[in-house]
Amino acid sequence: MTAAPAVAAFPRLIEERAWFDRSAAEVAPELLGMSLVHDTPAGRIVGRIVEVEAYLGPEDLAAHSARGRTPRNAVMFGPPGHLYVYFVYGMHHCANVVCGPGTKPEAVLLRAAQIREGAALARLSRSGVPATRLAAGPGNLAAAFGIDRTLNGADLTRGPLRLAAHEPSAAGTAAAIVRTPRIGVDYAGSWSTRPLRFLIADDAHRSRP
DNA sequence: CTTATGATTAGA
DNA sequence: CTAATCATAAGA
């Protein structure tokens, strides 16, 4: 048989740590459109990422890493490709993809996704919420995916949480990416206005315009 | 030990 | 606009 050699199949799980070993500002826009996959004992939850924020190294006054390493943010200071999960406001978890380069403490906050598989599981913690709001906002996204602090430090190249890239869209149909200042970081001086929030324009599943 | 507050959210 | 609600970090 002379079948053509198999080309990379899509969706393709990101298994190379090198992919994460870059500035969060570079990784963030590339995460848009990718799938976040969580294999839980109860089943698989998959969502299309539509909104993220980049938190740069210790110089970024909006980043947790700006106040130095503590037990809470230690994962940010570790190797890229891991999940940084923290608990805020006494009730919400937020999930971040740790980036680099190297051990530079940068990360991308996952802010919104469109649930595409496992909606029933995602709804367990969010009963009565419309599908477009299920994972809209960082706290809601973490709840929908069943992410809590037990997953802090999880290796994204190994599961149970993974990222998957999709076939590039045909030219001209690629979704437009919008940049805005980050949400909820008014305390960060000039860093509060930098356009480090990335989202898919007009996507129904984003947390806000 | 005490105290202040947050990379949020839902609801008035 | 505010309440909810508590782990965390910093200070006494």
Side-chain angles (χ1 to χ4, degrees):
Chain A
M1 302 295 279
T2 57
V7 184
F10 288 97
R12 191 188 81 247
L13 290 171
I14 304 298
E15 297 178 303
E16 319 80 40
R17 191 164 315 282
W19 190 85
F20 301 95
D21 194 10
R22 302 174 284 157
S23 168
E26 268 184 76
V27 172
E30 292 186 30
L31 283 170
L32 296 178
M34 289 181 58
S35 287
L36 177 65
V37 182
H38 189 190
D39 284 304
T40 76
R44 172 174 282 192
I45 302 170
V46 180
R48 172 177 174 262
I49 298 168
V50 302
E51 178 182 335
V52 298
E53 281 175 359
Y55 285 85
L56 310 189
E59 68 273 20
D60 179 358
L61 296 181
H64 288 172
S65 54
R67 273 133 284 160
R69 180 177 181 145
T70 67
R72 177 172 78 150
N73 66 19
V75 174
M76 275 188 86
F77 291 77
H82 292 257
L83 193 71
Y84 166 44
V85 182
Y86 63 89
F87 186 62
V88 272
Y89 294 111
M91 58 191 95
H92 302 294
H93 292 274
C94 291
N96 304 256
V97 174
V98 174
C99 298
T103 54
K104 189 160 191 278
E106 303 202 358
V108 178
L109 172 67
L110 302 178
R111 283 196 58 94
Q114 170 185 14
I115 301 300
R116 316 205 77 158
E117 192 181 323
L121 282 177
R123 244 181 264 281
L124 285 180
S125 54
R126 317 220 52 229
S127 61
V129 176
T132 54
R133 304 275 84 190
L134 208 46
N140 291 333
L141 182 151
F145 278 88
I147 296 173
D148 62 19
R149 279 169 300 169
T150 64
L151 285 164
N152 187 37
D155 187 346
L156 293 168
T157 69
R158 309 275 296 184
L161 267 160
R162 308 236 190 183
L163 288 163
H166 293 273
E167 181 109 47
S169 304
T173 65
I177 292 178
V178 173
R179 299 180 61 157
T180 79
R182 295 169 292 184
I183 307 297
V185 296
D186 295 341
Y187 55 82
S190 65
W191 286 90
S192 68
T193 55
R194 291 191 44 166
L196 292 172
R197 173 172 175 252
F198 302 81
L199 59 151
I200 294 178
D202 300 315
D203 194 284
H205 305 273
R206 70 199 192 286
S207 70
R208 53 162 97 184

